[in-house]
Amino acid sequence: MELPLDPGWAAGLLLALCRTAGFAVSPVFARALPPAGRVLFALAASLALVRPVEGGLSLAGLAGSAAMNVAVGLVLAFATGLILHLFDVAGEVLDVSSGLASARILDPLTRLEAGVFTRLFRMTSLAILLAIGGDRLLVRVLVRSVEAVPLTGRMSVGPALGEGLVASVGTLLVAGLELAAPALGALFLAEVALGVAARFAPQANVFFLGLSAKLLLSLATLGVVLTLFPGAVRGALEAMLRTSGDLVRTLSGP
């Protein structure tokens, strides 16, 4: 039995696999899928995005196109992964402010140490993102990138690309602080109250009392923060889609 192999389709599959492999490192897929699942996702997505290479490519041209597709996939993975790092920022800030930063444990999803609130925010945001179909919208970004920057096309790298990524990171940090703002405001008032108490009652051990008070206050305000999560995830997803669309247009060139 002979299986005909078209060189154009084989080269197109290789280039599509390079782009989907770069995109599969996005934190959204890295946290939702095990390594084997990400490999299968890259293979399945490449079969859906494959386009035959017309006219053939030299070995150097094929290597250059493969590197370009990997770069496009990595840029999109970074842009789409910012949506989850937003909640990591909020969790880290709350861990430090509440005094739980020292209670860090290994997160099996990222293989990094994370605090209690960081892990809680991370898992909650990922669950909501998957529930509202955010993963399918991310795949749609990948499809649009192939339409804007063909597998054998050229990627435009200019100042606008760096400015867009830096602006996205700045927006991420601000949004993370805004999400944790209710708890941070309550903890700030607690710090002021403890400072006043230490001033008027220096004989009291305000430091140890403050640790318990801040922890209880953080748990009390946690419910308020969690009620903001659905709207925050939806807003972050919309912002990510706009940013990804702008990056795709930037990569496609003028």
Side-chain angles (χ1 to χ4, degrees), residues 141-159:
V141 172
L142 181 62
V143 174
R144 291 179 178 175
S145 74
V146 176
E147 298 173 355
V149 185
L151 299 177
T152 56
R154 292 186 177 182
M155 180 180 66
S156 176
V157 180

Side-chain angles (χ1 to χ4, degrees), residues 13-23 46 65-67 69-70 73:
L13 180 60
L14 174 62
L15 297 180
L17 183 59
C18 289
R19 184 169 301 193
T20 56
F23 185 72
S46 63
S65 297
N69 282 285
V70 172

Side-chain angles (χ1 to χ4, degrees), residues 123-196:
M123 291 186 291
T124 304
S125 60
L126 180 60
I128 296 175
L129 179 66
L130 296 178
I132 64 177
D135 52 336
R136 296 188 292 273
L137 294 177
L138 299 185
V139 174
R140 188 176 301 176
V141 172
L142 181 62
V143 174
R144 291 179 178 175
S145 74
V146 176
E147 298 173 355
V149 185
L151 299 177
T152 56
R154 292 186 177 182
M155 180 180 66
S156 176
V157 180
L161 177 61
E163 293 174 358
L165 293 177
V166 172
S168 300
V169 174
T171 304
L172 155 76
L173 296 177
V174 174
L177 292 176
E178 290 177 348
L179 181 61
L184 291 179
L187 289 173
F188 174 76
L189 294 178
E191 291 284 357
V192 173
L194 291 172
V196 173

Side-chain angles (χ1 to χ4, degrees), residues 190-208:
E191 291 284 357
V192 173
L194 291 172
V196 173
R199 180 68 176 84
F200 289 97
Q203 70 277 7
N205 197 338
V206 179
F207 176 75
F208 288 103

